[in-house]
Amino acid sequence: MTKKMIIKSIKMENFISHQKTEFPFPVGVLVIVGENGSGKSSIIDAIFYSLCGVQVRGDNVDDLIREGTKKAKVNLLFEHNGIAYEIERVREKDVNPYALLKKDGSITARKQTPVSEEIARILGMDKEAIINSVFIRQGEITKLIDGTPSERKKTIAKLIGIEKLEKCYDKMRNVIDYFDNQLNDFDIINTKLQGEQESKTELDSEIEELTGDINKIKKDVIIAEDIFKKTEDKKKLWENKRKEHQELKSKKTKKGEQISSTNEKVNNLTTQVNDAKKARERVTELEPQIRNIEILEKYIENFRNKKITTETLERLNKEFEKVNQWITILSINKDKFKEFNEISESLSQKEDEIENLRKIEKEYIELKKDIENTQKKLTEYKDEIENINEKALKVLPRAEKKEKDKKMKELNSKLKELEGNISNIISSNGAIKGRIKEIDNYLLKFQDSDECPVCSSELSPNHKQKVITDFKREKSGKTKEIEENRENISSLGKEQNQFRDQLDNIKSLDLDKYKELKEKFENLETQLKEFEINRQEKGRATEKLRLLEDQSKIEKKSVEELKPRYNDYIAAEKALENEREIKEIQNEINEFNTKLTKIMEVDSKLANQLKKIPEKPEEELNQLRKLKEEYIVAKGESQKLEKFQKDLINTEKILNDFISESKKIDSEINSLGYNEELYEQVLKKNNEASSTLEKLKNSVNLKIIELDKKNQKLNELKQKINDLLKQMKSFEKIRNFKLVLGKIRDAFSKEGLQKTIRKKFAPKITNFAKDYLESFNINISDISINEDLDISILGRSGVLSINSISGGEKVAVAIILRLAIARILSSQISTIIMDEPTTHLDSLRRKELVEAMKSFKKESHTIPQLIIVTHHQELEELADTLFKVDIKEGVSKVEELTYI
């Protein structure tokens, strides 16, 4: 019964490069051989994906799905303590992964995580421990061989889990530093707390003192309020007297104003009566002069019409002269205007053509650049074509794809033939080895018996010796035959490599590119010819451009010379657009001459009516109009005389009544007994009492406001002190927590758990290494590892340096140590997987390793199941079972071989 885990078989569907692969894992040494990239390492990926649910290599789990498919599936069978288990995992793009675990055919777990957890429980290890126990990665052996002592220690530490503790130790430094930074403010907060507590004590004293002041002032307010009330009552009594006195004074003033106003009216009315009498006399005096105003107004109006008519005639005569002048300028410049327009039109056409030709000139310049670039590309294509053609003609008669395909077919056929020959020799070796093994059995039987091992008849000593000699001779011949076959295999292998090199060289020929380059070359040559034709046409256009530019300069000069005459013509034409016809102006001049004659006749008649021609008619009219205004005013005033006389009598009576009432008010004022000085004294005392009371109240209010502010400040201080006390408590917790973290970190240090693990594992690694050492055929008697993970090797001559032993012995020592570490990590697993253990080893060291492990292979009890994945054929000699992995059309294929 199996006491530990043994892998039984695996099945892969669309897993990395495997489309559908299934094969068993027998006990013993199983070697999986194949070229790099054939898919042999994908088998390891499938095993660990099955056991752990994770990929050993790569970043993305979806990379496990074979390209071009949507779903990958893996089934792994293994035994543990005699119980059969089957794991099934499915990975599908954009879908949650599926997993299933069966125990003796019954489902015990479903889904990814539960299945992984159940496997870890069965084996007693997490996924990392499983991988480190079962899997010897590429390069691990090399690190244990060729690394410096510190690198070897680091590799061993990583395998037994010490590296994780060291990482924890380093990372916890950052955590402790973080809390150290948190404690940086402890002294600042403590000082701040003491300061705030001192401020609170001072504030408590100030509040107590302020409360006493407020109570004292409140008592003074009560006394001040009583004094103010008494002065207020006296003030009201005197204010009533003052009001009555002011009312009487107001009446007295009003009566005075009425007396003054009425007296003024009497005086005004007396004046108005006298003025009215004078106005009546002036009216009689002005009446004869007023009658000439109407005649003088007509004379002035006629004079104005004469002036306007005369000015209009002057303006019309000037307009006539100006229009006549513009007509003369238009006539003089007509021919030059026409010539200017003709040359300008010609120049505009040339400039348009010049602009188009300049565009062509730019295209001509660009075309020259295109020709240069095309010639450069033609040179590059020609060089590349000649380079490919030269390489092709070294291996092909012509640089053609059909010749390439023909040659590749020929080489593949030769390679297939060589593979058949090698396979036949290997098969022949198998038969020969069987015969040698049979002879060894016969010779072994001769040691204990005199019977013939073939026919069981008794043999005489001479006959027995002859048979033994014949067997040994036959065995020697067979052994030589095997060696000859191996040399033939080696020779055929070299021939294979030569053919493969030729095949690789032919494959590297890109004849499609060669054909494409030739087509591009021909196209560019055609394009270059077209460019040359186009360049010649555009060159002719450039010559025409130069001619037109010269003609344009001459015409521009003519335009400049004609421009003043052209501008004069345009100015005259534009001016005449805004002027009237000359005939119309002449008619209007005649009309105004007639009008002026009539005005002169009216002027003569009006002068006769005035009996004289006025020198300054307008000034005389203004003087008469002023006299008329005076006449109108005087006439109005003279008509009011009777009314003014009546109003004067009534107003004198009202004045006498007002004087009598004023004397009565003076008597009432004297009887009241009001004194302004006594009133001012009463008012002053009242204001002083009010001011004193107001000051006391304001003082109380200010003190209360100050008290409120101090109480508010006190509350804020209390809150700050509480907050600071909380911070101090928090600092205390952080300080205690930091001490705990320090102790935990010390536990992860090299002198803590790391030392404990080294102390525990070093003797076990040494003991297990000694067990494995007995199974290897090397000249080393002892391997040990101390607590500091230093490796010691003992040979026949004493302690040896790891650098002094042979290459094969180094590899053997490294494998022994790695197997010992795997055995420490788990006693539940009987399977070891080695991925490319001979990577970075030369052929000599590979051969030495094979020789060292041959005896290890015989000790099948040491590791029941050893799986080796390699691309080196030397390791095939160690195989009990041999699988070969090839990749054909992107799909990995696995077949079992019989190694002879």
Short mmCIF file of all heavy atoms in Angstrom, two decimals, residues 661-711:
data_model
loop_
_atom_site.label_atom_id
_atom_site.label_comp_id
_atom_site.label_asym_id
_atom_site.label_seq_id
_atom_site.Cartn_x
_atom_site.Cartn_y
_atom_site.Cartn_z
N GLU A 661 -52.88 143.81 20.13
CA GLU A 661 -52.75 142.38 20.55
C GLU A 661 -51.32 142.10 21.05
O GLU A 661 -51.12 141.33 21.99
CB GLU A 661 -53.07 141.47 19.37
CG GLU A 661 -54.57 141.46 19.03
CD GLU A 661 -54.84 140.69 17.75
OE1 GLU A 661 -53.88 140.13 17.14
OE2 GLU A 661 -56.02 140.62 17.33
N SER A 662 -50.30 142.67 20.50
CA SER A 662 -48.91 142.46 20.91
C SER A 662 -48.67 142.95 22.33
O SER A 662 -47.97 142.31 23.11
CB SER A 662 -47.98 143.20 19.93
OG SER A 662 -46.64 143.06 20.31
N LYS A 663 -49.25 144.04 22.71
CA LYS A 663 -49.09 144.54 24.07
C LYS A 663 -49.71 143.58 25.09
O LYS A 663 -49.17 143.38 26.19
CB LYS A 663 -49.75 145.92 24.18
CG LYS A 663 -48.98 147.01 23.44
CD LYS A 663 -49.72 148.35 23.50
CE LYS A 663 -48.93 149.44 22.75
NZ LYS A 663 -49.65 150.74 22.77
N LYS A 664 -50.81 142.93 24.80
CA LYS A 664 -51.48 141.96 25.70
C LYS A 664 -50.57 140.74 25.95
O LYS A 664 -50.47 140.25 27.07
CB LYS A 664 -52.80 141.54 25.05
CG LYS A 664 -53.66 140.68 25.96
CD LYS A 664 -54.96 140.30 25.24
CE LYS A 664 -55.79 139.39 26.12
NZ LYS A 664 -57.02 138.95 25.44
N ILE A 665 -49.84 140.21 24.93
CA ILE A 665 -48.95 139.04 25.06
C ILE A 665 -47.77 139.37 25.98
O ILE A 665 -47.34 138.55 26.79
CB ILE A 665 -48.45 138.59 23.68
CG1 ILE A 665 -49.62 138.00 22.86
CG2 ILE A 665 -47.34 137.55 23.79
CD1 ILE A 665 -49.32 137.81 21.38
N ASP A 666 -47.24 140.60 25.93
CA ASP A 666 -46.13 141.00 26.80
C ASP A 666 -46.55 140.90 28.27
O ASP A 666 -45.74 140.47 29.13
CB ASP A 666 -45.72 142.45 26.48
CG ASP A 666 -44.96 142.54 25.16
OD1 ASP A 666 -44.38 141.49 24.74
OD2 ASP A 666 -44.91 143.60 24.54
N SER A 667 -47.75 141.20 28.61
CA SER A 667 -48.25 141.13 29.99
C SER A 667 -48.27 139.69 30.48
O SER A 667 -47.88 139.37 31.61
CB SER A 667 -49.65 141.79 30.05
OG SER A 667 -50.19 141.67 31.34
N GLU A 668 -48.68 138.71 29.64
CA GLU A 668 -48.75 137.28 30.03
C GLU A 668 -47.35 136.70 30.27
O GLU A 668 -47.14 135.89 31.17
CB GLU A 668 -49.47 136.50 28.93
CG GLU A 668 -50.97 136.78 28.86
CD GLU A 668 -51.62 136.04 27.72
OE1 GLU A 668 -50.90 135.29 26.98
OE2 GLU A 668 -52.84 136.18 27.52
N ILE A 669 -46.36 137.05 29.49
CA ILE A 669 -44.96 136.56 29.65
C ILE A 669 -44.41 136.99 31.00
O ILE A 669 -43.76 136.20 31.71
CB ILE A 669 -44.09 137.08 28.50
CG1 ILE A 669 -44.45 136.36 27.18
CG2 ILE A 669 -42.60 136.85 28.79
CD1 ILE A 669 -43.82 136.96 25.94
N ASN A 670 -44.65 138.21 31.39
CA ASN A 670 -44.13 138.70 32.66
C ASN A 670 -44.73 137.97 33.84
O ASN A 670 -44.05 137.68 34.84
CB ASN A 670 -44.39 140.21 32.78
CG ASN A 670 -43.55 141.02 31.78
OD1 ASN A 670 -42.46 140.60 31.41
ND2 ASN A 670 -44.07 142.16 31.33
N SER A 671 -45.99 137.55 33.74
CA SER A 671 -46.67 136.87 34.86
C SER A 671 -46.24 135.40 34.99
O SER A 671 -46.40 134.77 36.03
CB SER A 671 -48.19 136.96 34.69
OG SER A 671 -48.57 136.25 33.52
N LEU A 672 -45.64 134.74 33.97
CA LEU A 672 -45.24 133.30 34.00
C LEU A 672 -44.04 133.07 34.91
O LEU A 672 -43.94 132.06 35.59
CB LEU A 672 -44.92 132.83 32.56
CG LEU A 672 -44.55 131.37 32.39
CD1 LEU A 672 -45.71 130.46 32.83
CD2 LEU A 672 -44.20 131.06 30.94
N GLY A 673 -43.06 133.95 34.99
CA GLY A 673 -41.91 133.82 35.87
C GLY A 673 -40.87 132.78 35.41
O GLY A 673 -40.19 132.17 36.23
N TYR A 674 -40.70 132.55 34.09
CA TYR A 674 -39.70 131.57 33.55
C TYR A 674 -38.35 132.24 33.42
O TYR A 674 -38.25 133.39 32.97
CB TYR A 674 -40.17 131.05 32.18
CG TYR A 674 -39.12 130.20 31.49
CD1 TYR A 674 -38.89 128.90 31.89
CD2 TYR A 674 -38.35 130.73 30.44
CE1 TYR A 674 -37.93 128.13 31.26
CE2 TYR A 674 -37.38 129.97 29.82
CZ TYR A 674 -37.18 128.66 30.23
OH TYR A 674 -36.23 127.90 29.62
N ASN A 675 -37.22 131.43 33.89
CA ASN A 675 -35.84 131.93 33.80
C ASN A 675 -34.99 130.88 33.07
O ASN A 675 -34.88 129.72 33.51
CB ASN A 675 -35.30 132.20 35.21
CG ASN A 675 -33.93 132.88 35.15
OD1 ASN A 675 -32.99 132.34 34.58
ND2 ASN A 675 -33.83 134.06 35.74
N GLU A 676 -34.35 131.25 31.97
CA GLU A 676 -33.58 130.31 31.13
C GLU A 676 -32.36 129.77 31.86
O GLU A 676 -32.01 128.58 31.72
CB GLU A 676 -33.13 131.03 29.85
CG GLU A 676 -32.43 130.13 28.81
CD GLU A 676 -33.36 129.08 28.20
OE1 GLU A 676 -34.59 129.30 28.18
OE2 GLU A 676 -32.86 128.02 27.76
N GLU A 677 -31.70 130.54 32.73
CA GLU A 677 -30.51 130.09 33.45
C GLU A 677 -30.86 129.00 34.44
O GLU A 677 -30.13 127.99 34.56
CB GLU A 677 -29.87 131.28 34.19
CG GLU A 677 -29.19 132.27 33.24
CD GLU A 677 -28.52 133.40 34.00
OE1 GLU A 677 -28.52 133.36 35.25
OE2 GLU A 677 -27.97 134.31 33.33
N LEU A 678 -32.01 129.20 35.18
CA LEU A 678 -32.42 128.15 36.13
C LEU A 678 -32.76 126.85 35.39
O LEU A 678 -32.44 125.75 35.84
CB LEU A 678 -33.65 128.65 36.93
CG LEU A 678 -33.38 129.77 37.95
CD1 LEU A 678 -34.69 130.27 38.55
CD2 LEU A 678 -32.44 129.31 39.06
N TYR A 679 -33.40 126.97 34.21
CA TYR A 679 -33.74 125.78 33.40
C TYR A 679 -32.47 125.04 32.97
O TYR A 679 -32.38 123.82 33.03
CB TYR A 679 -34.55 126.21 32.18
CG TYR A 679 -34.74 125.09 31.18
CD1 TYR A 679 -35.64 124.05 31.43
CD2 TYR A 679 -33.97 125.04 30.01
CE1 TYR A 679 -35.78 123.01 30.52
CE2 TYR A 679 -34.12 124.00 29.10
CZ TYR A 679 -35.03 122.98 29.36
OH TYR A 679 -35.16 121.95 28.48
N GLU A 680 -31.43 125.78 32.57
CA GLU A 680 -30.16 125.19 32.14
C GLU A 680 -29.48 124.44 33.28
O GLU A 680 -28.90 123.38 33.09
CB GLU A 680 -29.21 126.27 31.60
CG GLU A 680 -29.65 126.88 30.28
CD GLU A 680 -29.60 125.86 29.15
OE1 GLU A 680 -28.84 124.88 29.23
OE2 GLU A 680 -30.35 126.04 28.16
N GLN A 681 -29.57 124.96 34.52
CA GLN A 681 -28.99 124.30 35.69
C GLN A 681 -29.68 122.97 35.95
O GLN A 681 -29.02 121.95 36.23
CB GLN A 681 -29.09 125.23 36.92
CG GLN A 681 -28.16 126.44 36.87
CD GLN A 681 -28.38 127.39 38.05
OE1 GLN A 681 -29.13 127.08 38.97
NE2 GLN A 681 -27.70 128.56 38.00
N VAL A 682 -31.07 123.01 35.92
CA VAL A 682 -31.83 121.75 36.13
C VAL A 682 -31.45 120.72 35.06
O VAL A 682 -31.23 119.53 35.33
CB VAL A 682 -33.35 122.04 36.11
CG1 VAL A 682 -34.15 120.74 36.06
CG2 VAL A 682 -33.75 122.86 37.34
N LEU A 683 -31.35 121.17 33.80
CA LEU A 683 -31.02 120.27 32.68
C LEU A 683 -29.61 119.68 32.82
O LEU A 683 -29.38 118.50 32.56
CB LEU A 683 -31.12 121.07 31.38
CG LEU A 683 -31.19 120.25 30.09
CD1 LEU A 683 -32.45 119.39 30.08
CD2 LEU A 683 -31.19 121.17 28.88
N LYS A 684 -28.68 120.50 33.31
CA LYS A 684 -27.29 120.04 33.49
C LYS A 684 -27.20 118.94 34.52
O LYS A 684 -26.53 117.92 34.33
CB LYS A 684 -26.43 121.24 33.89
CG LYS A 684 -24.95 120.90 34.03
CD LYS A 684 -24.16 122.13 34.42
CE LYS A 684 -22.68 121.79 34.60
NZ LYS A 684 -21.88 122.95 35.06
N LYS A 685 -27.92 119.16 35.67
CA LYS A 685 -27.91 118.13 36.73
C LYS A 685 -28.52 116.83 36.22
O LYS A 685 -28.05 115.74 36.53
CB LYS A 685 -28.67 118.63 37.95
CG LYS A 685 -27.91 119.70 38.74
CD LYS A 685 -28.72 120.17 39.96
CE LYS A 685 -27.95 121.25 40.74
NZ LYS A 685 -28.72 121.72 41.91
N ASN A 686 -29.62 116.95 35.45
CA ASN A 686 -30.27 115.73 34.89
C ASN A 686 -29.33 115.00 33.93
O ASN A 686 -29.22 113.77 33.97
CB ASN A 686 -31.55 116.15 34.17
CG ASN A 686 -32.25 114.96 33.52
OD1 ASN A 686 -32.10 114.73 32.34
ND2 ASN A 686 -32.97 114.18 34.33
N ASN A 687 -28.62 115.74 33.08
CA ASN A 687 -27.68 115.12 32.11
C ASN A 687 -26.52 114.43 32.83
O ASN A 687 -26.07 113.36 32.44
CB ASN A 687 -27.12 116.17 31.16
CG ASN A 687 -28.18 116.62 30.16
OD1 ASN A 687 -29.13 115.90 29.88
ND2 ASN A 687 -28.02 117.83 29.64
N GLU A 688 -26.05 115.07 33.93
CA GLU A 688 -24.95 114.47 34.69
C GLU A 688 -25.39 113.16 35.32
O GLU A 688 -24.66 112.16 35.30
CB GLU A 688 -24.48 115.45 35.77
CG GLU A 688 -23.70 116.63 35.21
CD GLU A 688 -23.40 117.67 36.28
OE1 GLU A 688 -23.92 117.53 37.41
OE2 GLU A 688 -22.65 118.63 35.98
N ALA A 689 -26.64 113.17 35.90
CA ALA A 689 -27.17 111.94 36.52
C ALA A 689 -27.35 110.85 35.47
O ALA A 689 -27.03 109.68 35.69
CB ALA A 689 -28.49 112.24 37.23
N SER A 690 -27.85 111.23 34.27
CA SER A 690 -28.07 110.27 33.16
C SER A 690 -26.75 109.70 32.65
O SER A 690 -26.62 108.50 32.40
CB SER A 690 -28.81 110.97 32.02
OG SER A 690 -28.92 110.11 30.91
N SER A 691 -25.75 110.59 32.53
CA SER A 691 -24.43 110.16 32.04
C SER A 691 -23.78 109.19 33.00
O SER A 691 -23.22 108.17 32.60
CB SER A 691 -23.55 111.39 31.84
OG SER A 691 -22.25 111.01 31.46
N THR A 692 -23.89 109.52 34.34
CA THR A 692 -23.30 108.64 35.35
C THR A 692 -23.95 107.26 35.29
O THR A 692 -23.27 106.22 35.32
CB THR A 692 -23.49 109.24 36.76
OG1 THR A 692 -22.86 110.53 36.79
CG2 THR A 692 -22.87 108.35 37.82
N LEU A 693 -25.32 107.25 35.19
CA LEU A 693 -26.05 105.98 35.12
C LEU A 693 -25.67 105.19 33.86
O LEU A 693 -25.45 103.97 33.92
CB LEU A 693 -27.56 106.25 35.14
CG LEU A 693 -28.48 105.02 35.04
CD1 LEU A 693 -28.26 104.09 36.23
CD2 LEU A 693 -29.95 105.46 34.98
N GLU A 694 -25.58 105.89 32.74
CA GLU A 694 -25.25 105.23 31.47
C GLU A 694 -23.84 104.61 31.50
O GLU A 694 -23.62 103.49 31.04
CB GLU A 694 -25.35 106.24 30.33
CG GLU A 694 -25.23 105.63 28.92
CD GLU A 694 -26.40 104.73 28.60
OE1 GLU A 694 -27.49 104.93 29.16
OE2 GLU A 694 -26.20 103.81 27.79
N LYS A 695 -22.90 105.38 32.09
CA LYS A 695 -21.52 104.87 32.19
C LYS A 695 -21.47 103.61 33.03
O LYS A 695 -20.78 102.65 32.71
CB LYS A 695 -20.62 105.94 32.79
CG LYS A 695 -20.28 107.06 31.83
CD LYS A 695 -19.41 108.12 32.50
CE LYS A 695 -19.08 109.25 31.53
NZ LYS A 695 -18.30 110.31 32.19
N LEU A 696 -22.22 103.63 34.17
CA LEU A 696 -22.23 102.44 35.05
C LEU A 696 -22.84 101.25 34.33
O LEU A 696 -22.33 100.13 34.42
CB LEU A 696 -23.01 102.76 36.34
CG LEU A 696 -22.31 103.71 37.33
CD1 LEU A 696 -23.27 104.14 38.42
CD2 LEU A 696 -21.08 103.05 37.94
N LYS A 697 -23.95 101.48 33.59
CA LYS A 697 -24.60 100.37 32.86
C LYS A 697 -23.67 99.83 31.77
O LYS A 697 -23.56 98.62 31.57
CB LYS A 697 -25.91 100.86 32.23
CG LYS A 697 -27.04 101.00 33.24
CD LYS A 697 -28.33 101.43 32.53
CE LYS A 697 -29.50 101.49 33.50
NZ LYS A 697 -30.75 101.91 32.86
N ASN A 698 -23.04 100.78 31.04
CA ASN A 698 -22.10 100.35 29.98
C ASN A 698 -20.95 99.56 30.58
O ASN A 698 -20.49 98.56 30.01
CB ASN A 698 -21.55 101.56 29.24
CG ASN A 698 -22.59 102.17 28.32
OD1 ASN A 698 -23.54 101.50 27.93
ND2 ASN A 698 -22.41 103.45 27.98
N SER A 699 -20.47 100.04 31.74
CA SER A 699 -19.38 99.33 32.40
C SER A 699 -19.78 97.92 32.77
O SER A 699 -19.04 96.96 32.57
CB SER A 699 -18.96 100.12 33.65
OG SER A 699 -17.91 99.45 34.32
N VAL A 700 -21.05 97.78 33.33
CA VAL A 700 -21.55 96.44 33.68
C VAL A 700 -21.63 95.57 32.44
O VAL A 700 -21.20 94.41 32.43
CB VAL A 700 -22.93 96.55 34.37
CG1 VAL A 700 -23.57 95.16 34.47
CG2 VAL A 700 -22.80 97.13 35.75
N ASN A 701 -22.20 96.14 31.34
CA ASN A 701 -22.36 95.35 30.10
C ASN A 701 -21.02 94.91 29.53
O ASN A 701 -20.86 93.77 29.08
CB ASN A 701 -23.11 96.17 29.06
CG ASN A 701 -24.57 96.39 29.43
OD1 ASN A 701 -25.15 95.55 30.15
ND2 ASN A 701 -25.18 97.47 28.96
N LEU A 702 -20.06 95.86 29.54
CA LEU A 702 -18.72 95.51 29.03
C LEU A 702 -18.08 94.41 29.86
O LEU A 702 -17.44 93.49 29.33
CB LEU A 702 -17.83 96.74 29.02
CG LEU A 702 -18.17 97.80 27.97
CD1 LEU A 702 -17.35 99.07 28.20
CD2 LEU A 702 -17.91 97.26 26.56
N LYS A 703 -18.26 94.53 31.21
CA LYS A 703 -17.71 93.50 32.09
C LYS A 703 -18.38 92.16 31.84
O LYS A 703 -17.73 91.11 31.86
CB LYS A 703 -17.92 93.91 33.56
CG LYS A 703 -17.15 95.16 33.99
CD LYS A 703 -15.68 94.87 34.23
CE LYS A 703 -14.95 96.08 34.78
NZ LYS A 703 -13.51 95.84 34.95
N ILE A 704 -19.73 92.20 31.62
CA ILE A 704 -20.47 90.94 31.35
C ILE A 704 -19.99 90.32 30.03
O ILE A 704 -19.79 89.10 29.93
CB ILE A 704 -21.99 91.21 31.32
CG1 ILE A 704 -22.48 91.51 32.74
CG2 ILE A 704 -22.74 90.00 30.75
CD1 ILE A 704 -23.91 92.03 32.81
N ILE A 705 -19.82 91.19 29.00
CA ILE A 705 -19.31 90.70 27.69
C ILE A 705 -17.93 90.09 27.86
O ILE A 705 -17.62 89.01 27.33
CB ILE A 705 -19.28 91.85 26.67
CG1 ILE A 705 -20.70 92.25 26.29
CG2 ILE A 705 -18.50 91.44 25.42
CD1 ILE A 705 -20.78 93.54 25.52
N GLU A 706 -17.08 90.80 28.64
CA GLU A 706 -15.73 90.29 28.90
C GLU A 706 -15.79 88.96 29.64
O GLU A 706 -15.04 88.02 29.33
CB GLU A 706 -14.96 91.33 29.72
CG GLU A 706 -13.47 90.96 29.90
CD GLU A 706 -12.71 91.99 30.71
OE1 GLU A 706 -13.30 93.03 31.09
OE2 GLU A 706 -11.52 91.74 30.97
N LEU A 707 -16.76 88.88 30.60
CA LEU A 707 -16.92 87.63 31.35
C LEU A 707 -17.36 86.49 30.43
O LEU A 707 -16.86 85.37 30.54
CB LEU A 707 -17.95 87.84 32.48
CG LEU A 707 -18.23 86.62 33.38
CD1 LEU A 707 -16.96 86.22 34.14
CD2 LEU A 707 -19.36 86.92 34.38
N ASP A 708 -18.32 86.80 29.51
CA ASP A 708 -18.78 85.77 28.55
C ASP A 708 -17.63 85.28 27.69
O ASP A 708 -17.49 84.08 27.43
CB ASP A 708 -19.89 86.35 27.66
CG ASP A 708 -21.19 86.57 28.43
OD1 ASP A 708 -21.33 85.96 29.52
OD2 ASP A 708 -22.05 87.34 27.95
N LYS A 709 -16.81 86.23 27.23
CA LYS A 709 -15.67 85.85 26.38
C LYS A 709 -14.69 84.97 27.14
O LYS A 709 -14.18 83.97 26.61
CB LYS A 709 -14.94 87.10 25.89
CG LYS A 709 -15.70 87.86 24.82
CD LYS A 709 -14.92 89.07 24.34
CE LYS A 709 -15.67 89.82 23.25
NZ LYS A 709 -14.94 91.03 22.82
N LYS A 710 -14.46 85.35 28.42
CA LYS A 710 -13.51 84.55 29.21
C LYS A 710 -14.10 83.17 29.50
O LYS A 710 -13.37 82.17 29.51
CB LYS A 710 -13.18 85.28 30.52
CG LYS A 710 -12.29 86.51 30.30
CD LYS A 710 -11.81 87.12 31.57
CE LYS A 710 -10.95 88.36 31.32
NZ LYS A 710 -9.67 88.03 30.69
N ASN A 711 -15.43 83.10 29.75
CA ASN A 711 -16.07 81.79 29.97
C ASN A 711 -15.98 80.94 28.70
O ASN A 711 -15.75 79.74 28.76
CB ASN A 711 -17.52 81.97 30.39
CG ASN A 711 -17.64 82.33 31.87
OD1 ASN A 711 -16.87 81.85 32.70
ND2 ASN A 711 -18.60 83.19 32.23
#
